[in-house]
């Protein structure tokens, strides 16, 4: 700067900075004085903005950073990335795929929409499009004024859905879609075709990923690709994320934010581990004492309205809510009012010490399988859940980690040779109540956590394979997975060694070991592919990442979930094979995931950084 | 609820809920209809608020949770905790300590202040008191109206400082204070006495920790203790936190939030690792090309004004800012414009590949020790730093991880038998420039990271022990620490295996290992006490926790720092001995740290949860 003559400087400023001229000249003459530091800042940043030093060029399918040559038209990193190499979609589409390497600029007010869909799907689409449209608007800085021109006259989005009445998301719902983008005269037309609302919604999500804010100085502009042809459908029907709201309470807003993140990654099951032995935040008029005794505090509850609101919010985002009231273990606080009401112990060994004799972590608690009132309460809760979620295809029964010593010690007057049979009996009675709560018939599928009851010989004794899905959380090398599949049960994969998001933060108690170190990195989550081996893939309904909340609450929820859950989501939507060689991940995945992380940030989710920004700005050089 | 007669219910509501009566009765009659779910929520929460089920009683120095007996006056957990057992101060005071187990209620507008201090300290105190006062005001929910009465007439804070002119924080500054609280008639008087502003500020911080929002339903009230007598002073003079803003950029706001967290924990050194080989965000008019070539983008810079603003902000919080421009290694991007300007290579092997031949992580880069222009630039930067921070007692030189192969390969025409001597030569020349930048004399102390140059035999050859402090980041069991102390050098402890906050998140590159697994839990950070053994404690200036930013940016900064840095802060302020037995931490520390975490949250820092909330609500039962 100092080497430029003042005349040259003025000329440059005229071209680049408009109204800052006089201001700037003044600074040039006086900047030794500390009082003008503020002015310097404005001037310097203006200067940098008007004269970016770097540009990116597409070379060998990656964007290389170069010092800009004089008079060279420079490109921003995001624009280079979006038009270079593999399309920057996440999760990656599974069908045929073409995305143009040319872009067009546009303004958001040029977007309009046309529906080929009858009600009731049409009104769903209208809301979904409103979300899409708002996301595009939000890309534009609020103080923004541009002098760029739009390359197009209109940006028309056409959405058609062939089955307007298939509006319930199930394991057999067609979630596929196609997205075609083409110029039609001066108009850019994006056509999304899907069998159902859920496919169309995914299509809009994909379309939003083809639109970006080109932050190229001085002003920036919205861009999208000039043409595209995408066919896409998920590999697995069940693509879940579990959140535990019992160890620490998560406010409804933070769960909504999580649902937004899920929808951006095309996950479709929010498994809500609502209650546990620590707390029972479900506040229901049918059994008000549950939350009165079990909630952490009067404001730390989920009311029926909260739940309905969340279920509806999720539904519009293409996500089902599966609520789990874990039983018979992982149930203590909230169940400890029976004696006061003359109902006897609904649960036993609640808060018992020393806890390590009766449970895996403090506080202990297990339902009392001998008390008929326990089942009466269960039926009420089951009825609530079915009513509030509207979910009758999937019902999560919990069922993990029963501690037989808790029952053996605290249930008096019984004598089982094998307490697993008492556990089995409890399960069958609970299912009876579930059927009754559901109007006489069981829901289509009951999900149970893998446990000793889902092991041989008990599994076949107590669980009907036609209606049971086992959610396998055991380590991936344990024989459970293979036995369960060999016995013909369907499974959801949640291997603790790959897909547990809470591990790696050391111990939270004074004594003992960390629960499940180490941290599962996004690479670990991405590379885990338990169905690669000789396995009947028809029995694999899908997979689920799990976040237990012993060591976090809303303050760090986003960072714990994202972008690792995005990595998991691509595994279960696309199940990429070619990209994954033994323990290495292609460079393009790093680039795509970095861009997906930026999308999460731009939609208000506090996703973690993957690596130094230098690596994003220099694709391929951090390997 | 259903078992109560309507009359009884009305009576209960009259007593507890005031205006909600008619509303509530209507709900009782109609709640089967889904349309009234919203009303239910209000009613139910109101009901819970007006009738807390739990109370806490102090027993054996811990708060035990009980179901409230009829007509029993209940206590909130925080009020029980604040008046039960060890005072809930963090870091724990080191001198004599008495805190009353009685509390008084008050309103924030009853607080007034009286200063016994002349200018310039008086105006500093005024600002500090304003911060204190605002923190108290912020404890009160904005929609709050109370019917509670204040127990006192006035809450008078008296602050006296005996040395009004000792306003520069140095390693020999007296940071001690005393705090006495007593009733004087109807007035509560809190008297803070200190030698310096810095001690008085700590006293105000401690006073704020003796004030809490008692969230006892239905309305809540501010409370403080009725009497206290506290003497306090830090064990170590240097209590630091290092943040790396080069791997990923941290906006000024997030650094300010970090400074607030530091001040709440009485840390007093913000070591700003501002630049590294990845980026050079320091935007200075004295060498504008540094940021033009080295910043991640035009907005990702620290201007002189940003820095001055931060330094001033920190100063009021009792914190010094020590800026490190790391050299001669960890310097690449930002230094790569020399040839363009005709100055030759200021740095070599910048961004060289394969990086693992020339540096520890991509991208590489080391200053060129043979180019005289390198030192000219250094002098300008040093001058900037001294001017902007006003810091002449401590100057951080960097100096870690020089890769001799980078120089051996890329410096032509030289032939060293031992390249360590070239490194030593560089260091001596850099110190010459530093002296020149500082008006001819070196700053009082230069800090160097431990490195091969701080090992025998080089350390005594190139580093003057009277002016050198070694920041030891090697693992605690390495011999470095002992050798350096044996040779009479002063040290700052930053052992990587205990006090590195960034470890445990797996690898960020495609290949290789995680940088420094596992995660250092707060317990690890708290228990580490490297000066316990036969060590000359006079040479231990203090300690510093370090956060390198390869795998985080502002989105997860708070969660990575807090509450672990609080744990570290108590180690270095109080250096507790009695609490620490072999690898166990007293229950009371868990309780105190939980309350400190809540304070961080209430002041807007996204600190992580330590454990399930059940453990906080049931002190002593999660061990």
């Amino acid at each position: 700067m100092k080497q430029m003559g003042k005349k040259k400087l003025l000329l440059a400023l005229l071209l680049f900075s408009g109204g800052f001229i006089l201001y700037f000249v003044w600074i040039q003459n006086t900047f030794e004085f500390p009082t003008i530091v503020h002015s310097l800042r404005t001037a310097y940043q203006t200067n940098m903005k008007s004269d970016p030093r770097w540009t990116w060029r597409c070379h060998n399918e990656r964007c290389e950073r170069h010092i800009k040559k004089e008079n060279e038209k420079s490109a921003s990193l995001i624009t280079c990335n979006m038009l270079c190499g593999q399309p920057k979609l996440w999760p990656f589409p599974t069908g045929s795929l073409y995305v143009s390497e040319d872009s067009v600029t546009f303004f958001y007010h040029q977007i309009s929409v046309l529906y080929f869909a009858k009600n009731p799907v049409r009104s769903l689409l209208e809301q979904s499009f409103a979300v899409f449209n708002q996301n595009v608007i939000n890309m534009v800085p609020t103080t923004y004024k541009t002098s760029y021109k739009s390359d197009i006259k209109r940006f028309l989005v056409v959405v058609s859905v062939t089955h307007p009445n298939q509006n319930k998301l199930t394991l057999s719902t067609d979630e596929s879609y196609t997205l075609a983008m083409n110029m039609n005269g001066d108009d850019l037309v994006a056509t999304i075709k899907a069998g159902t609302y859920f496919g169309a919604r995914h299509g809009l999500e994909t379309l939003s990923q083809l639109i970006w804010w080109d932050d190229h100085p001085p002003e920036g502009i919205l861009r999208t690709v000039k043409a595209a042809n995408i066919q896409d459908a998920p590999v697995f029907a069940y693509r879940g994320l579990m959140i535990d709201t019992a160890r620490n309470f998560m406010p409804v807003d933070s769960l909504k934010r999580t649902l937004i993140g899920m929808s951006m990654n095309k996950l479709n099951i929010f498994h809500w581990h609502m209650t546990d032995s620590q707390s029972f935040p479900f506040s229901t008029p049918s059994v008000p004492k549950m939350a009165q005794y079990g909630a952490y505090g009067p404001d730390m509850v989920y009311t029926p309205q909260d739940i309905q609101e969340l279920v509806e919010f999720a539904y519009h985002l293409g996500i089902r809510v599966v609520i789990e009231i874990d039983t018979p273990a992982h149930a203590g606080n909230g169940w400890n009012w029976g004696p006061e009401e003359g109902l006897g112990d609904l649960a036993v060994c609640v808060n018992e010490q020393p806890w390590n004799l009766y449970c895996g972590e403090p506080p202990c608690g297990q339902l009392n399988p001998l008390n008929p009132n326990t089942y009466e309460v269960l039926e009420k809760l089951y009825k609530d859940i079915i009513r509030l979620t509207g979910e009758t295809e999937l019902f999560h029964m919990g069922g993990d980690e029963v501690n037989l010593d808790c029952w053996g010690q605290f249930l008096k007057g019984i004598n089982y040779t094998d307490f697993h049979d008492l556990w089995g009996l409890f399960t069958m009675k609970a299912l009876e109540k579930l059927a009754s709560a559901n109007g006489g018939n069981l829901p289509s599928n009951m999900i149970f956590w893998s446990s000793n009851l889902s092991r041989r010989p008990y599994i076949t004794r107590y669980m009907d394979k036609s209606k049971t899905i086992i959610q396998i959380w055991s380590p991936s090398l344990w024989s459970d997975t293979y036995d369960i599949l060999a016995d013909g049960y369907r499974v959801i994969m949640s291997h603790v060694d790959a897909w547990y998001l809470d591990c790696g933060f050391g111990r939270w108690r004074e004594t003992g070991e960390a629960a499940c170190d180490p941290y599962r990195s996004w690479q670990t989550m991405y590379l885990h592919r338990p169905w690669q081996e000789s396995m009947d893939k028809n029995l694999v309904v899908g997979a689920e990442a799990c976040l237990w909340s012993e060591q976090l609450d809303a303050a760090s929820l986003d960072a714990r979930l994202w972008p690792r859950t995005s990595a998991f989501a691509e595994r279960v939507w696309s199940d990429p094979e070619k990209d994954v060689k033994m323990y290495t991940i292609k460079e393009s995945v790093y680039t795509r995931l970095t861009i997906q992380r930026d999308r999460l940030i731009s939609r208000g989710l506090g996703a973690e950084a993957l690596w130094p920004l230098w690596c994003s700005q220099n694709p391929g050089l951090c390997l």
Side-chain angles (χ1 to χ4, degrees), chain A residues 536-606:
Chain A
D536 185 352
K537 217 168 159 178
N538 291 323
L539 293 177
V540 181
V541 183
E544 187 169 284
C546 299
L547 181 60
W548 304 98
S549 65
E550 280 90 347
Q551 287 171 287
L552 80 154
D553 60 16
S556 47
L557 178 64
D558 290 14
R560 201 74 103 245
L561 286 175
W562 311 105
R564 291 188 294 157
T565 304
S566 298
F568 166 80
E570 179 154 298
R571 168 57 52 219
V572 75
W573 174 281
S574 327
D575 195 22
E577 198 159 14
K578 288 177 193 160
D579 282 8
V580 182
K581 296 162 200 153
M582 279 299 287
Y583 299 105
T584 63
I585 296 177
K586 267 193 185 172
E587 173 196 325
S588 61
V589 176
Y590 280 73
T591 305
R592 276 195 301 115
L593 185 57
T594 300
I595 291 169
Q596 180 71 350
R597 186 257 172 175
D598 292 343
R599 289 188 191 111
L600 288 160
I601 289 280
S602 76
R603 293 202 198 165
L605 284 91

Side-chain angles (χ1 to χ4, degrees), chain A residues 170-198:
Chain A
T170 70
L171 294 178
S172 48
T173 294
D174 174 11
E175 292 182 83
S176 72
Y177 68 92
T178 62
L179 166 61
M181 293 175 78
N182 285 297
M183 290 301 296
N184 184 354
D186 289 340
D187 292 346
L188 177 64
V189 183
T191 308
I192 292 166
K193 290 183 184 171
T196 67
Y197 167 69
F198 306 98

Side-chain angles (χ1 to χ4, degrees), chain A residues 43 86 100 158 167 239 249 325 334 341 354 356 505 517 616:
Chain A
Q86 207 183 39
S100 163
V158 181
N167 290 326
R239 305 182 303 281
F249 181 78
I325 305 286
E341 296 274 292
N356 54 329
F505 292 85
D517 278 351
S616 305

Side-chain angles (χ1 to χ4, degrees), chain A residues 127-162:
Chain A
Q127 291 178 60
S128 208
F129 179 78
V131 170
F132 162 86
N133 203 39
Q134 191 58 49
N135 286 334
V136 176
I137 292 171
N138 290 346
M139 291 181 190
V140 183
T142 46
T143 56
Y144 170 70
K145 273 185 183 180
T146 194
S147 60
Y148 274 103
K149 283 187 181 163
S150 170
D151 291 335
I152 60 173
K153 196 172 169 194
R154 291 190 303 176
F155 185 165
L156 184 59
V157 180
V158 181
V159 189
S160 72
V161 171
T162 46

